[in-house]
Amino acid sequence: MTVNTPDRPQTAHLGTPGRQPALTEAPPQRRRQGPSPEKGEFVRPLTRCQIDDRMEELGELYTNTSSHQVRASDASGQDRSAVFRRRLAGHMRRPGFELLVAETAGPSGAIGLTACAYGFPVRGDGPWWDGLDGCLPQSLLRVAAFGRLFAVADILVERRVRTQDQSREWNLARRLQKRLLSDHSAALGVTLVDRDNADMLEALLSWGWRCLSADAREASHLAPGRFLVLR
């Protein structure tokens, strides 16, 4: 490490005409830096008991970050939260289920929940999401048969994560999905997006997800949503 120090100031010798003592310059002020984007939010898994204790908070996060456009006939935010919590409770029963949360300290020091992502390993001989059995492309079934496929069921992040720095590795959504796959040594991630949810599709593509090949799309055309994969 190279450290730059200011030159030693010149001082006048007493009795030397024409030389004035030099004023010592104040050291430059260092710019106060915020936390690194990679460490702006602390990511950690929750146990099933912790998830149960924070289920209401997770439901609020869903309603605040969900990209679904609410139609006039849609249920209220409270009802949508209840639907999400029931779905999450069902997924929690899957073997290998994991839920990650991102938390950060506010100005008062209180820790707040800012994001979450969860999923479960997919086995070649087990069920996927409800209603998808028999609609899966063979390419994904082969990966699942080796225990290297992980289904990411939900990624809940704030709007800024969807629109800013999507390609950066420290993007919060990228950190969450990468952690889920690495925790389970998965070679491939897979997720399902509602066909009318263009906002979520655009976000996932910006985070590195890719649509299936033409052959795989043909094999899964009966599925209720779009399949995306992540390497």
Side-chain angles (χ1 to χ4, degrees):
M1 177 181 296
T2 302
V3 179
N4 295 322
T5 56
D7 294 336
R8 183 178 179 180
Q10 294 181 348
T11 57
H13 295 283
L14 294 178
T16 303
R19 299 189 65 180
Q20 299 295 328
L23 296 177
T24 303
E25 295 182 358
Q29 296 292 327
R30 292 186 176 181
R31 181 179 298 175
R32 180 175 295 179
Q33 295 182 349
S36 165
E38 297 183 9
K39 301 179 180 179
E41 285 97 349
F42 177 68
V43 174
R44 68 185 180 97
L46 295 185
T47 66
R48 282 173 167 78
C49 290
Q50 290 172 328
I51 295 173
D52 288 335
D53 291 340
R54 302 182 69 174
M55 190 64 81
E56 291 290 338
E57 189 178 1
L58 290 167
E60 291 179 3
L61 178 69
Y62 173 78
T63 58
N64 292 335
T65 61
S66 175
S67 64
H68 289 287
Q69 296 181 353
V70 180
R71 299 183 297 271
S73 59
D74 282 345
S76 66
Q78 185 175 3
D79 291 338
R80 293 170 61 229
S81 172
V83 171
F84 165 77
R85 287 183 277 117
R86 286 196 297 270
R87 183 170 70 247
L88 174 58
H91 286 156
M92 286 173 60
R93 293 193 288 268
R94 298 293 296 260
F97 171 89
E98 182 177 6
L99 182 143
L100 300 173
V101 295
E103 299 168 312
T104 188
S108 64
I111 303 299
L113 181 66
T114 60
C116 87
Y118 71 87
F120 40 84
V122 177
R123 309 301 179 191
D125 56 351
W128 286 46
W129 291 282
D130 293 339
L132 292 187
D133 299 322
C135 301
L136 306 176
Q138 289 297 319
S139 58
L140 296 183
L141 287 175
R142 285 192 293 268
V143 179
F146 288 98
R148 303 293 305 279
L149 190 63
F150 190 88
V152 179
D154 262 313
I155 302 177
L156 307 180
V157 292
E158 297 175 348
R159 172 64 56 178
R160 62 178 176 82
V161 180
R162 296 172 183 266
T163 59
Q164 299 177 10
D165 303 311
Q166 302 103 316
S167 62
R168 299 296 184 91
E169 288 302 313
W170 45 258
N171 176 278
L172 184 56
R174 284 179 173 263
R175 289 176 60 199
L176 289 166
Q177 63 193 27
K178 181 178 179 181
R179 172 75 179 270
L180 284 175
L181 267 61
S182 63
D183 283 356
H184 295 267
S185 301
L188 202 65
V190 63
T191 194
L192 186 67
V193 186
D194 290 341
R195 297 189 184 278
D196 60 349
N197 195 346
D199 185 47
M200 190 62 194
L201 176 62
E202 180 181 358
L204 287 167
L205 293 175
S206 71
W207 298 331
W209 292 81
R210 294 293 176 262
C211 296
L212 293 176
S213 64
D215 293 342
R217 287 198 303 270
E218 180 65 23
S220 60
H221 70 282
L222 296 177
R226 295 173 181 266
F227 275 118
L228 299 180
V229 294
L230 178 69
R231 297 186 182 278

